[in-house]
Amino acid sequence: MNKREKKRKKRMSPEEKAFKKEQREQKKEIRDIMKRIGFSRLLGIDGKEFVYDGRTSELDDLFVCENVIVLTEYTVGEPHLLKKSVLYNKINSNIGDFIRFLVDNKIYDSFSNEFNDRIKPKYTVNQLILRILYCSKKTISQEHKDNVKDIIYFDYHIVKYFKSLTNVIKFSAKYEFLEFLKINESDFGDNILSSTTGTTNCFSGHILPEEKSSFKEGYKIISFYIDAESLLKRAYVLRQEGWRQKENVGYYQRMLDSKKISSMRKYLSEEKRVFINNIITTISENDIKLYTDKNRQNEISIGEDGKFKGSRNHTNITPAFIEIQDKCNIIGIVDGQHRTYAYHEGDDSYEQYIAHLRKIQNLLVTGIIFPKNESKENRLKFESNLFLEINANQKKVGQLIQQEIQLQTMPFSSIAIGKSILKILNEHGSLVNLIEMYTYEKGKIKTASIVSFGLKPLIKVDKQKTDTFFRIWENEKKDDLAQKDCQDYALLSDYQRFCATKINEMLSAFKVSLDSTMWQTYNAKTSIGILTVTFINGVLNLIRLLIENNKLASFESYRSRLNSIKEFEFKKYKSSQYRRMGEDLYSKYFVD
């Protein structure tokens, strides 16, 4: 056949090119994170099929760090989780057999070489830890996650979090990443070779009882010095954008500022002296013990309610020796994150000297120990209020963080209810994954103004208002929600779901009545899209008018009235003109 007659390679469409680009970017993001933490990526993995226990499959990437092996699956399209679950179950049922299968059958030369040259001489197969990391750009439903367990879901917002974290503190992010992988630090690397388990360190300090702090009864304050290396291993930050469950830890701290960290490392390297400000923390009460003597013979016993046990008088400041478990992520930093992470294990020109300082320089830590029987809600409120108190005279806390804090400190306030409703709208209905939940998300609908100016007046818990959901909410206990000291979280949740359902009915009617191309966020690339803060707030103001005039109806009723809505000039309403947009929508489509 003539060369000219040979079939030319098919050209990719713009959509296919964009898809391939997104795939490359996702792989690079995750590979860079793993490299900065200290994992080595093995070559020749992607695309090579194998048959394991009767199941044909392949891996996308394989990473190794000491005795930890991470198998990685990437997807930017629709998740194919259920298809992969059969292989994952077979692997997790006997990890040792799968590792031996890879090595004995020489499935991947790079892994066989890594195993024989570096892993086998140091670790037994039983000492190896394997994790399956499933990386999806699209949201995976909780239903799917519940059906496919024993794998680690590297959801995209978590990828972005670790990308930001590892960009700044490099290898020191491994402690938090190990916890994310559900690996105890005692089982990682050289630690698993040690004959000692459950090790602790003891630090000299003082106990400040509530009589001297005026804090709530049972809240103990301890101050002690700890070397930077020991603190880094144990520390985590009460971060607004993290991966931990919100019900277990508050999210309100800013991400680390790389320029600030760099300047502080320069100071440490040049001035060669420790920062003198104290680090404010909370400490896991299950991982700490207090003693009166350095030999740890006489423990200071504290009850479930935080009160000292026994006859000894501890109402004054008491010298103590503080024993803290040698575990990752048990000291939560409320204030002082930059002073702590300036000592991180990095790769800059300061690292050689700071590596020395990490072991010898001590930082002053002030830690709050909660009573064991204190509720999660009260702990979060205390931490959030403490953060606000500390930052009151510092750099202004942004509106988003203020709203996040209010969600913790005043969950029954209109702002907090609005934040919770937005989360529901982002997970169910017409705005799924279109609302900006994290600051790194681009091209999504921003939330601060929606909460403050759209939702707050609509969902306000006030019996006197005639244009709120509270007025029409049919719940026999609704008046309890208006009480200042209400603690009925089930009632609160019911109201939030009611509001979200009613909002979704209206938004769904708009969506089905518009061209599909219009139902996307407006930006430079999608100028035809109408989804903006102004649009959302305009619809919320429309709903207020419907409530006030007793015209709130059903989805079907809204759809019939909005059958010509695509002709409406949404783009003529700028910035804060959502009140006028709501009024115009009402008069044009809902006034008979």
Side-chain angles (χ1 to χ4, degrees), residues 299-325:
E299 183 177 352
I300 300 173
S301 185
I302 300 176
E304 294 283 321
D305 58 359
K307 295 180 181 179
F308 290 114
K309 289 183 178 180
S311 58
R312 182 180 174 86
N313 181 8
H314 290 288
T315 59
N316 293 314
I317 297 173
T318 304
F321 291 90
I322 296 137
E323 177 187 276
I324 305 177
Q325 289 288 327

PDB file of all heavy atoms in Angstrom, residues 299-325:
ATOM      1  N   GLU A 299       0.986   9.672  89.574  1.00  0.00           N
ATOM      2  CA  GLU A 299       0.133  10.276  88.559  1.00  0.00           C
ATOM      3  C   GLU A 299      -0.887  11.222  89.195  1.00  0.00           C
ATOM      4  O   GLU A 299      -1.441  10.931  90.263  1.00  0.00           O
ATOM      5  CB  GLU A 299      -0.607   9.204  87.764  1.00  0.00           C
ATOM      6  CG  GLU A 299      -1.451   9.772  86.631  1.00  0.00           C
ATOM      7  CD  GLU A 299      -2.130   8.697  85.799  1.00  0.00           C
ATOM      8  OE1 GLU A 299      -1.829   7.496  85.994  1.00  0.00           O
ATOM      9  OE2 GLU A 299      -2.966   9.066  84.942  1.00  0.00           O
ATOM     10  N   ILE A 300      -1.097  12.345  88.541  1.00  0.00           N
ATOM     11  CA  ILE A 300      -2.160  13.268  88.947  1.00  0.00           C
ATOM     12  C   ILE A 300      -3.424  12.813  88.241  1.00  0.00           C
ATOM     13  O   ILE A 300      -3.567  12.936  87.024  1.00  0.00           O
ATOM     14  CB  ILE A 300      -1.821  14.719  88.550  1.00  0.00           C
ATOM     15  CG1 ILE A 300      -0.514  15.166  89.223  1.00  0.00           C
ATOM     16  CG2 ILE A 300      -2.960  15.663  88.929  1.00  0.00           C
ATOM     17  CD1 ILE A 300      -0.012  16.522  88.763  1.00  0.00           C
ATOM     18  N   SER A 301      -4.325  12.261  89.012  1.00  0.00           N
ATOM     19  CA  SER A 301      -5.506  11.633  88.432  1.00  0.00           C
ATOM     20  C   SER A 301      -6.627  12.648  88.209  1.00  0.00           C
ATOM     21  O   SER A 301      -6.938  13.453  89.092  1.00  0.00           O
ATOM     22  CB  SER A 301      -5.995  10.509  89.344  1.00  0.00           C
ATOM     23  OG  SER A 301      -7.058   9.808  88.748  1.00  0.00           O
ATOM     24  N   ILE A 302      -7.217  12.616  87.027  1.00  0.00           N
ATOM     25  CA  ILE A 302      -8.312  13.519  86.664  1.00  0.00           C
ATOM     26  C   ILE A 302      -9.505  12.680  86.226  1.00  0.00           C
ATOM     27  O   ILE A 302      -9.373  11.758  85.421  1.00  0.00           O
ATOM     28  CB  ILE A 302      -7.897  14.482  85.532  1.00  0.00           C
ATOM     29  CG1 ILE A 302      -6.699  15.335  85.979  1.00  0.00           C
ATOM     30  CG2 ILE A 302      -9.057  15.367  85.112  1.00  0.00           C
ATOM     31  CD1 ILE A 302      -6.161  16.249  84.911  1.00  0.00           C
ATOM     32  N   GLY A 303     -10.685  13.002  86.745  1.00  0.00           N
ATOM     33  CA  GLY A 303     -11.890  12.243  86.447  1.00  0.00           C
ATOM     34  C   GLY A 303     -12.499  12.583  85.103  1.00  0.00           C
ATOM     35  O   GLY A 303     -12.024  13.472  84.376  1.00  0.00           O
ATOM     36  N   GLU A 304     -13.566  11.885  84.745  1.00  0.00           N
ATOM     37  CA  GLU A 304     -14.267  12.095  83.483  1.00  0.00           C
ATOM     38  C   GLU A 304     -14.775  13.528  83.339  1.00  0.00           C
ATOM     39  O   GLU A 304     -14.872  14.059  82.242  1.00  0.00           O
ATOM     40  CB  GLU A 304     -15.464  11.142  83.383  1.00  0.00           C
ATOM     41  CG  GLU A 304     -15.100   9.669  83.295  1.00  0.00           C
ATOM     42  CD  GLU A 304     -14.611   9.271  81.915  1.00  0.00           C
ATOM     43  OE1 GLU A 304     -15.188   9.773  80.939  1.00  0.00           O
ATOM     44  OE2 GLU A 304     -13.661   8.478  81.825  1.00  0.00           O
ATOM     45  N   ASP A 305     -15.078  14.160  84.495  1.00  0.00           N
ATOM     46  CA  ASP A 305     -15.607  15.528  84.474  1.00  0.00           C
ATOM     47  C   ASP A 305     -14.514  16.586  84.479  1.00  0.00           C
ATOM     48  O   ASP A 305     -14.792  17.783  84.528  1.00  0.00           O
ATOM     49  CB  ASP A 305     -16.540  15.751  85.668  1.00  0.00           C
ATOM     50  CG  ASP A 305     -15.847  15.491  87.005  1.00  0.00           C
ATOM     51  OD1 ASP A 305     -14.647  15.121  87.001  1.00  0.00           O
ATOM     52  OD2 ASP A 305     -16.515  15.637  88.047  1.00  0.00           O
ATOM     53  N   GLY A 306     -13.236  16.150  84.418  1.00  0.00           N
ATOM     54  CA  GLY A 306     -12.127  17.091  84.396  1.00  0.00           C
ATOM     55  C   GLY A 306     -11.646  17.532  85.767  1.00  0.00           C
ATOM     56  O   GLY A 306     -10.697  18.313  85.875  1.00  0.00           O
ATOM     57  N   LYS A 307     -12.264  17.024  86.825  1.00  0.00           N
ATOM     58  CA  LYS A 307     -11.876  17.419  88.184  1.00  0.00           C
ATOM     59  C   LYS A 307     -10.769  16.506  88.706  1.00  0.00           C
ATOM     60  O   LYS A 307     -10.716  15.323  88.379  1.00  0.00           O
ATOM     61  CB  LYS A 307     -13.089  17.359  89.115  1.00  0.00           C
ATOM     62  CG  LYS A 307     -14.187  18.356  88.777  1.00  0.00           C
ATOM     63  CD  LYS A 307     -15.353  18.227  89.741  1.00  0.00           C
ATOM     64  CE  LYS A 307     -16.460  19.215  89.396  1.00  0.00           C
ATOM     65  NZ  LYS A 307     -17.618  19.088  90.313  1.00  0.00           N
ATOM     66  N   PHE A 308      -9.882  17.089  89.528  1.00  0.00           N
ATOM     67  CA  PHE A 308      -8.821  16.295  90.139  1.00  0.00           C
ATOM     68  C   PHE A 308      -9.418  15.283  91.101  1.00  0.00           C
ATOM     69  O   PHE A 308     -10.373  15.574  91.833  1.00  0.00           O
ATOM     70  CB  PHE A 308      -7.847  17.193  90.905  1.00  0.00           C
ATOM     71  CG  PHE A 308      -7.001  18.068  90.009  1.00  0.00           C
ATOM     72  CD1 PHE A 308      -7.143  19.443  90.027  1.00  0.00           C
ATOM     73  CD2 PHE A 308      -6.063  17.506  89.167  1.00  0.00           C
ATOM     74  CE1 PHE A 308      -6.363  20.247  89.213  1.00  0.00           C
ATOM     75  CE2 PHE A 308      -5.274  18.311  88.346  1.00  0.00           C
ATOM     76  CZ  PHE A 308      -5.425  19.676  88.370  1.00  0.00           C
ATOM     77  N   LYS A 309      -8.855  14.097  91.113  1.00  0.00           N
ATOM     78  CA  LYS A 309      -9.267  13.079  92.062  1.00  0.00           C
ATOM     79  C   LYS A 309      -8.356  13.107  93.284  1.00  0.00           C
ATOM     80  O   LYS A 309      -7.218  13.577  93.229  1.00  0.00           O
ATOM     81  CB  LYS A 309      -9.210  11.690  91.423  1.00  0.00           C
ATOM     82  CG  LYS A 309     -10.273  11.431  90.376  1.00  0.00           C
ATOM     83  CD  LYS A 309     -10.169  10.002  89.870  1.00  0.00           C
ATOM     84  CE  LYS A 309     -11.249   9.682  88.859  1.00  0.00           C
ATOM     85  NZ  LYS A 309     -11.128   8.278  88.367  1.00  0.00           N
ATOM     86  N   GLY A 310      -8.836  12.564  94.387  1.00  0.00           N
ATOM     87  CA  GLY A 310      -8.015  12.468  95.585  1.00  0.00           C
ATOM     88  C   GLY A 310      -8.066  13.722  96.430  1.00  0.00           C
ATOM     89  O   GLY A 310      -8.746  14.701  96.113  1.00  0.00           O
ATOM     90  N   SER A 311      -7.294  13.717  97.512  1.00  0.00           N
ATOM     91  CA  SER A 311      -7.333  14.803  98.497  1.00  0.00           C
ATOM     92  C   SER A 311      -6.352  15.921  98.197  1.00  0.00           C
ATOM     93  O   SER A 311      -6.391  16.977  98.813  1.00  0.00           O
ATOM     94  CB  SER A 311      -7.047  14.245  99.899  1.00  0.00           C
ATOM     95  OG  SER A 311      -5.777  13.598  99.914  1.00  0.00           O
ATOM     96  N   ARG A 312      -5.428  15.662  97.258  1.00  0.00           N
ATOM     97  CA  ARG A 312      -4.402  16.669  96.976  1.00  0.00           C
ATOM     98  C   ARG A 312      -5.036  17.960  96.446  1.00  0.00           C
ATOM     99  O   ARG A 312      -5.934  17.936  95.609  1.00  0.00           O
ATOM    100  CB  ARG A 312      -3.403  16.118  95.953  1.00  0.00           C
ATOM    101  CG  ARG A 312      -2.250  17.075  95.632  1.00  0.00           C
ATOM    102  CD  ARG A 312      -1.310  16.446  94.604  1.00  0.00           C
ATOM    103  NE  ARG A 312      -0.296  17.390  94.185  1.00  0.00           N
ATOM    104  CZ  ARG A 312       0.852  17.582  94.814  1.00  0.00           C
ATOM    105  NH1 ARG A 312       1.119  16.891  95.899  1.00  0.00           N
ATOM    106  NH2 ARG A 312       1.734  18.455  94.377  1.00  0.00           N
ATOM    107  N   ASN A 313      -4.541  19.104  96.923  1.00  0.00           N
ATOM    108  CA  ASN A 313      -5.069  20.400  96.509  1.00  0.00           C
ATOM    109  C   ASN A 313      -4.405  20.849  95.215  1.00  0.00           C
ATOM    110  O   ASN A 313      -3.213  21.100  95.180  1.00  0.00           O
ATOM    111  CB  ASN A 313      -4.827  21.440  97.618  1.00  0.00           C
ATOM    112  CG  ASN A 313      -5.387  22.807  97.242  1.00  0.00           C
ATOM    113  OD1 ASN A 313      -6.066  22.940  96.241  1.00  0.00           O
ATOM    114  ND2 ASN A 313      -5.102  23.788  98.057  1.00  0.00           N
ATOM    115  N   HIS A 314      -5.179  20.917  94.131  1.00  0.00           N
ATOM    116  CA  HIS A 314      -4.646  21.345  92.843  1.00  0.00           C
ATOM    117  C   HIS A 314      -5.327  22.621  92.382  1.00  0.00           C
ATOM    118  O   HIS A 314      -5.520  22.844  91.195  1.00  0.00           O
ATOM    119  CB  HIS A 314      -4.842  20.248  91.797  1.00  0.00           C
ATOM    120  CG  HIS A 314      -3.988  19.043  92.019  1.00  0.00           C
ATOM    121  ND1 HIS A 314      -2.632  19.039  91.806  1.00  0.00           N
ATOM    122  CD2 HIS A 314      -4.309  17.797  92.453  1.00  0.00           C
ATOM    123  CE1 HIS A 314      -2.141  17.829  92.069  1.00  0.00           C
ATOM    124  NE2 HIS A 314      -3.145  17.071  92.480  1.00  0.00           N
ATOM    125  N   THR A 315      -5.729  23.445  93.311  1.00  0.00           N
ATOM    126  CA  THR A 315      -6.396  24.686  92.929  1.00  0.00           C
ATOM    127  C   THR A 315      -5.414  25.789  92.592  1.00  0.00           C
ATOM    128  O   THR A 315      -5.818  26.834  92.098  1.00  0.00           O
ATOM    129  CB  THR A 315      -7.330  25.164  94.057  1.00  0.00           C
ATOM    130  OG1 THR A 315      -6.552  25.378  95.249  1.00  0.00           O
ATOM    131  CG2 THR A 315      -8.424  24.138  94.317  1.00  0.00           C
ATOM    132  N   ASN A 316      -4.138  25.562  92.855  1.00  0.00           N
ATOM    133  CA  ASN A 316      -3.108  26.530  92.500  1.00  0.00           C
ATOM    134  C   ASN A 316      -2.297  26.012  91.317  1.00  0.00           C
ATOM    135  O   ASN A 316      -2.410  24.845  90.928  1.00  0.00           O
ATOM    136  CB  ASN A 316      -2.190  26.796  93.696  1.00  0.00           C
ATOM    137  CG  ASN A 316      -2.920  27.501  94.822  1.00  0.00           C
ATOM    138  OD1 ASN A 316      -3.654  28.460  94.597  1.00  0.00           O
ATOM    139  ND2 ASN A 316      -2.736  27.010  96.047  1.00  0.00           N
ATOM    140  N   ILE A 317      -1.480  26.873  90.730  1.00  0.00           N
ATOM    141  CA  ILE A 317      -0.606  26.458  89.634  1.00  0.00           C
ATOM    142  C   ILE A 317       0.310  25.352  90.141  1.00  0.00           C
ATOM    143  O   ILE A 317       0.982  25.502  91.162  1.00  0.00           O
ATOM    144  CB  ILE A 317       0.213  27.654  89.111  1.00  0.00           C
ATOM    145  CG1 ILE A 317      -0.740  28.716  88.531  1.00  0.00           C
ATOM    146  CG2 ILE A 317       1.200  27.194  88.049  1.00  0.00           C
ATOM    147  CD1 ILE A 317      -0.051  29.997  88.138  1.00  0.00           C
ATOM    148  N   THR A 318       0.328  24.227  89.435  1.00  0.00           N
ATOM    149  CA  THR A 318       1.025  23.039  89.917  1.00  0.00           C
ATOM    150  C   THR A 318       2.115  22.620  88.942  1.00  0.00           C
ATOM    151  O   THR A 318       1.830  22.378  87.761  1.00  0.00           O
ATOM    152  CB  THR A 318       0.024  21.871  90.077  1.00  0.00           C
ATOM    153  OG1 THR A 318      -1.037  22.289  90.937  1.00  0.00           O
ATOM    154  CG2 THR A 318       0.701  20.649  90.645  1.00  0.00           C
ATOM    155  N   PRO A 319       3.375  22.504  89.395  1.00  0.00           N
ATOM    156  CA  PRO A 319       4.419  21.933  88.535  1.00  0.00           C
ATOM    157  C   PRO A 319       4.054  20.492  88.187  1.00  0.00           C
ATOM    158  O   PRO A 319       3.492  19.764  89.006  1.00  0.00           O
ATOM    159  CB  PRO A 319       5.674  21.992  89.401  1.00  0.00           C
ATOM    160  CG  PRO A 319       5.367  22.983  90.465  1.00  0.00           C
ATOM    161  CD  PRO A 319       3.892  22.879  90.717  1.00  0.00           C
ATOM    162  N   ALA A 320       4.332  20.100  86.975  1.00  0.00           N
ATOM    163  CA  ALA A 320       3.961  18.747  86.557  1.00  0.00           C
ATOM    164  C   ALA A 320       4.883  18.262  85.454  1.00  0.00           C
ATOM    165  O   ALA A 320       5.533  19.058  84.763  1.00  0.00           O
ATOM    166  CB  ALA A 320       2.510  18.714  86.081  1.00  0.00           C
ATOM    167  N   PHE A 321       4.919  16.947  85.306  1.00  0.00           N
ATOM    168  CA  PHE A 321       5.615  16.320  84.191  1.00  0.00           C
ATOM    169  C   PHE A 321       4.546  15.720  83.282  1.00  0.00           C
ATOM    170  O   PHE A 321       3.682  14.964  83.729  1.00  0.00           O
ATOM    171  CB  PHE A 321       6.604  15.271  84.694  1.00  0.00           C
ATOM    172  CG  PHE A 321       7.764  15.881  85.424  1.00  0.00           C
ATOM    173  CD1 PHE A 321       7.692  16.080  86.803  1.00  0.00           C
ATOM    174  CD2 PHE A 321       8.891  16.296  84.738  1.00  0.00           C
ATOM    175  CE1 PHE A 321       8.748  16.667  87.485  1.00  0.00           C
ATOM    176  CE2 PHE A 321       9.947  16.887  85.417  1.00  0.00           C
ATOM    177  CZ  PHE A 321       9.873  17.084  86.791  1.00  0.00           C
ATOM    178  N   ILE A 322       4.605  16.109  82.023  1.00  0.00           N
ATOM    179  CA  ILE A 322       3.527  15.826  81.077  1.00  0.00           C
ATOM    180  C   ILE A 322       3.976  14.734  80.117  1.00  0.00           C
ATOM    181  O   ILE A 322       4.926  14.920  79.345  1.00  0.00           O
ATOM    182  CB  ILE A 322       3.142  17.113  80.325  1.00  0.00           C
ATOM    183  CG1 ILE A 322       2.582  18.136  81.328  1.00  0.00           C
ATOM    184  CG2 ILE A 322       2.114  16.835  79.249  1.00  0.00           C
ATOM    185  CD1 ILE A 322       3.067  19.518  81.114  1.00  0.00           C
ATOM    186  N   GLU A 323       3.311  13.594  80.210  1.00  0.00           N
ATOM    187  CA  GLU A 323       3.625  12.457  79.356  1.00  0.00           C
ATOM    188  C   GLU A 323       2.672  12.456  78.162  1.00  0.00           C
ATOM    189  O   GLU A 323       1.450  12.420  78.341  1.00  0.00           O
ATOM    190  CB  GLU A 323       3.485  11.164  80.151  1.00  0.00           C
ATOM    191  CG  GLU A 323       3.721   9.901  79.342  1.00  0.00           C
ATOM    192  CD  GLU A 323       3.394   8.655  80.149  1.00  0.00           C
ATOM    193  OE1 GLU A 323       4.266   8.203  80.913  1.00  0.00           O
ATOM    194  OE2 GLU A 323       2.253   8.151  80.021  1.00  0.00           O
ATOM    195  N   ILE A 324       3.240  12.513  76.958  1.00  0.00           N
ATOM    196  CA  ILE A 324       2.410  12.555  75.749  1.00  0.00           C
ATOM    197  C   ILE A 324       2.786  11.381  74.857  1.00  0.00           C
ATOM    198  O   ILE A 324       3.971  11.126  74.609  1.00  0.00           O
ATOM    199  CB  ILE A 324       2.601  13.875  74.984  1.00  0.00           C
ATOM    200  CG1 ILE A 324       2.344  15.082  75.900  1.00  0.00           C
ATOM    201  CG2 ILE A 324       1.667  13.931  73.779  1.00  0.00           C
ATOM    202  CD1 ILE A 324       2.568  16.408  75.239  1.00  0.00           C
ATOM    203  N   GLN A 325       1.784  10.676  74.368  1.00  0.00           N
ATOM    204  CA  GLN A 325       2.018   9.543  73.488  1.00  0.00           C
ATOM    205  C   GLN A 325       2.800   9.972  72.244  1.00  0.00           C
ATOM    206  O   GLN A 325       2.621  11.074  71.726  1.00  0.00           O
ATOM    207  CB  GLN A 325       0.685   8.923  73.050  1.00  0.00           C
ATOM    208  CG  GLN A 325      -0.053   8.166  74.149  1.00  0.00           C
ATOM    209  CD  GLN A 325       0.609   6.854  74.502  1.00  0.00           C
ATOM    210  OE1 GLN A 325       1.196   6.192  73.641  1.00  0.00           O
ATOM    211  NE2 GLN A 325       0.522   6.466  75.764  1.00  0.00           N
TER     212      GLN A 325
END
